[in-house]
């Protein structure tokens, strides 16, 4: 079972994407308007968002 | 008669002169002797000390005991029955019960060329076992760096042909999978056409693309691949459509292994995003769709092909079956023809 944070993050991400927002600045702005925050509680930036995706995606393929 | 020497047997177990995927790579663990039945052969899979995978017949050359019940010795396998040792080339390297006997040094264990790609072990099943294999050519989505993929491996209680039928039948998407996250849209009727390619054909709707399961490609060469696209909804984020590369191998007449590489053309942060969403939620949704296919296939009668009433949507099945049967008949004839007399050396 993924951590509840991952599920919440996934929920928000799917909701943002579902509205047709697929560009980085748009996604970051939409996430900041939501309740989901990175672990340090700060606002999302493009670099913190992409770093979080890299962390969550795992490395093996 | 060996079923692999008959047209019907080759239809049931798969044509020869093909690469078949056997299992996910991680199923063959270091130091382990794995037994698998695939494509009509009883196989032993093991990795040598360097991690290279070997695929051989699970049959001691001495008295046919199962080598998979033996001992892994790093670069060789020892049969547990009488200690006979065989190496990765299939050569008997030691007969401890009778050192120096004629069996020592003979290359008598059937050994199948093996490769690993995309997280799976493949083996070549040649018509002529002394001939080198064809190169293992894989479809673009699992060949290169521009794509991300995850391998989904399943074993179903149904002939492998039923899965092949299912893959070459795009129209079932709009019906069986109508409530899925990817196949809820599109027309419920369609006109299809077949387009020949270098190594097979594309079967496609003439009036709809990018809406549902709208086209499929069969590649029939040194391996049998089915490739298809299913559009992703916006919720899947940026990137190309959901692309499936499928390959099948028979386990028995009524059971098969299915390999579904789930691919998407994505790079950079978009790739990370898809991989995260796939692991977190999409995989479960894709699997639910596959389960619908499994339930349908496993419930089919054993003689489904004997009494059908096909219509225009089934022309890809007809074409595929004709292709396979013609090739199977040709191979069966070659396998049963009397050996040609040895050529007379020219003085």
């Amino acid at each position: 079972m993924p951590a509840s944070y991952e599920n919440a993050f996934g929920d928000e991400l799917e909701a943002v994407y579902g509205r047709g927002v697929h560009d980085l600045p748009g996604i970051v702005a939409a996430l900041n308007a939501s309740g989901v925050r990175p672990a340090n509680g700060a606002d999302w930036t493009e670099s913190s968002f992409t770093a979080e995706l890299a962390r969550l995606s795992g490395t093996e393929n | 008669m060996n079923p692999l020497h008959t047209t019907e047997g080759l239809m049931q177990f798969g044509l020869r002169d093909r690469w078949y995927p056997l299992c996910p790579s991680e199923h063959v663990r270091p130091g382990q002797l794995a037994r698998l039945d695939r494509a009509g052969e009883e196989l032993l899979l093991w990795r040598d000390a360097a991690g290279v995978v070997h695929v051989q017949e699970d049959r001691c050359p001495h008295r046919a005991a199962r080598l998979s019940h033996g001992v892994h010795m790093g670069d060789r396998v020892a049969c547990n029955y009488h200690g006979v040792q065989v190496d990765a080339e299939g050569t008997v390297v030691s007969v401890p019960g009778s050192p120096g006997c004629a069996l020592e040094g003979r290359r008598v264990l059937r050994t199948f060329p093996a490769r690993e790609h995309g997280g799976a072990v493949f083996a070549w099943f040649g018509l002529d076992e002394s001939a080198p294999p064809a190169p293992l050519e894989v479809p673009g989505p699992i060949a290169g760096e521009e794509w991300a993929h995850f391998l989904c491996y399943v074993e179903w209680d149904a002939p492998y042909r039923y899965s092949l039928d299912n893959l070459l039948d795009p129209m079932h998407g709009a019906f069986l999978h109508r409530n899925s996250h990817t196949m809820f849209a599109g027309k419920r009727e369609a006109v299809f056409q077949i387009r020949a390619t270098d190594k097979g054909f594309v079967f496609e709707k003439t009036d709809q693309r990018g809406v549902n399961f709208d086209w499929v490609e069969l590649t029939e060469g040194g391996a049998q691949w089915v490739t298809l696209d299913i559009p992703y909804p916006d919720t899947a984020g940026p990137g190309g459509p959901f692309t499936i590369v499928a390959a099948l191998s028979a386990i028995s007449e009524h059971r098969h292994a299915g390999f579904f590489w789930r691919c998407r053309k994505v790079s950079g942060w978009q790739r990370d995003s898809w991989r995260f969403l796939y692991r977190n939620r999409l995989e479960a949704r894709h699997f639910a769709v596959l389960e619908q296919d499994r339930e349908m296939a496993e419930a089919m009668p054993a003689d489904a092909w004997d009494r059908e009433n096909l219509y225009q949507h089934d022309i890809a099945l007809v074409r595929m079956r004709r292709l396979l049967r013609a090739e199977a008949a040709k191979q069966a004839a070659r396998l049963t023809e009397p050996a040609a007399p040895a050529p007379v050396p020219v003085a």
Side-chain angles (χ1 to χ4, degrees):
Chain A
M1 271 304 286
S4 59
Y5 158 74
E6 289 178 27
N7 289 333
F9 182 71
D11 288 346
E12 285 302 337
L13 202 54
E14 259 200 320
V16 171
Y17 287 158
R19 297 198 292 272
V21 180
H22 285 185
D23 66 297
L24 216 39
I27 297 163
V28 168
L31 280 181
N32 282 331
S34 80
V36 177
R37 285 286 178 277
N40 64 8
D43 273 2
W44 292 102
T45 62
E46 288 183 24
S47 66
S48 74
F49 170 69
T50 55
E52 184 66 333
L53 286 179
R55 185 183 75 82
L56 291 171
S57 74
T59 47
E60 76 280 7
N61 186 356
Chain B
M1 184 154 189
N2 181 341
L4 295 180
H5 291 180
T6 67
T7 303
E8 200 45 44
L10 289 164
M11 292 295 287
Q12 286 183 323
F13 292 105
L15 297 168
R16 301 303 97 172
D17 277 352
R18 298 287 183 278
W19 288 96
Y20 286 101
L22 308 181
C23 65
S25 287
E26 71 256 22
H27 286 201
V28 189
R29 292 187 292 277
Q32 184 204 20
L33 300 174
R35 161 62 184 268
L36 285 181
D37 292 353
R38 292 291 183 273
E41 301 286 1
E42 299 175 327
L43 303 172
L44 167 76
L45 283 75
W46 57 286
R47 293 183 184 279
D48 62 25
V52 177
V53 76
H54 301 288
V55 178
Q56 299 175 300
E57 190 173 19
D58 188 16
R59 185 186 175 105
C60 180
H62 169 221
R63 288 218 346 253
R66 296 303 182 188
L67 290 169
S68 56
H69 290 223
V71 184
H72 187 298
M73 297 181 70
D75 64 337
R76 62 185 67 187
V77 174
C79 181
N80 218 23
Y81 206 5
H82 303 90
V84 169
Q85 297 176 12
V86 191
D87 71 10
E89 265 63 67
T91 303
V92 176
V93 286
S94 170
V95 180
S98 181
C101 76
L103 182 55
E104 281 189 352
R106 288 183 61 206
R107 196 171 167 183
V108 282
L109 176 64
R110 290 173 69 212
T111 299
F112 302 88
R115 305 265 188 286
E116 291 186 81
H117 188 89
V121 178
F122 291 79
W124 169 261
F125 297 88
L127 268 183
D128 172 358
E129 293 188 15
S130 58
L136 172 60
E137 291 171 352
V138 305
I142 59 170
E145 279 307 295
E146 299 174 347
W147 293 76
H149 69 257
F150 292 93
L151 170 59
C152 169
Y153 172 76
V154 296
E155 293 181 13
W156 290 357
D157 278 315
Y160 99 95
R161 301 170 296 155
Y162 291 5
S163 264
L164 200 51
D165 282 349
N166 183 63
L167 287 162
L168 291 174
D169 161 33
M171 209 60 214
H172 83 267
F175 293 91
L176 181 64
H177 306 311
R178 65 189 174 278
N179 298 325
S180 68
H181 65 130
T182 52
M183 286 175 274
F184 54 85
K187 291 193 241 182
R188 304 291 292 276
E189 46 188 273
V191 177
F192 283 90
Q193 64 180 24
I194 285 186
R195 195 158 42 86
T197 60
D198 289 354
K199 289 189 174 166
F201 61 82
V202 174
F203 181 59
E204 58 199 347
K205 292 177 189 169
T206 53
D207 52 354
Q208 177 177 293
R209 189 171 265 244
V211 181
N212 196 296
F213 175 8
D214 294 330
W215 63 270
V216 58
E217 179 170 8
L218 174 73
T219 311
E220 242 297 341
Q224 198 173 63
W225 302 100
V226 180
T227 311
L228 57 99
D229 264 6
I230 295 167
Y232 259 137
D234 276 346
T235 51
F242 181 55
T243 300
I244 297 174
V245 171
L248 308 163
S249 54
I251 296 173
S252 68
E253 302 93 315
H254 46 75
R255 195 172 161 77
H256 72 277
F259 296 76
F260 301 92
W261 283 270
R262 292 158 169 174
C263 314
R264 197 176 192 198
K265 200 169 186 174
V266 270
S267 51
W269 68 268
Q270 303 184 353
R271 169 186 292 216
D272 292 338
S273 169
W274 179 65
R275 290 174 53 83
F276 161 63
L277 286 176
Y278 181 91
R279 284 214 173 92
N280 181 264
R281 59 194 59 209
L282 299 178
E283 181 175 24
R285 292 179 201 160
H286 292 312
F287 197 75
V289 172
L290 196 59
E291 280 292 277
Q292 295 179 313
D293 290 313
R294 181 184 63 81
E295 286 172 21
M296 202 51 72
E298 290 188 343
M300 297 275 281
D303 65 347
W305 280 21
D306 298 344
R307 280 187 284 138
E308 296 174 309
N309 294 283
L310 305 177
Y311 56 93
Q312 201 261 349
H313 294 169
D314 304 309
I315 53 177
L317 273 60
V318 173
R319 176 121 164 195
M320 175 270 293
R321 295 173 187 180
R322 202 181 301 142
L323 203 93
L324 296 192
R325 195 169 291 281
E327 185 63 23
K330 225 186 294 180
Q331 294 191 357
R334 261 191 62 189
L335 287 160
T336 49
E337 70 196 5
V344 178
V346 179

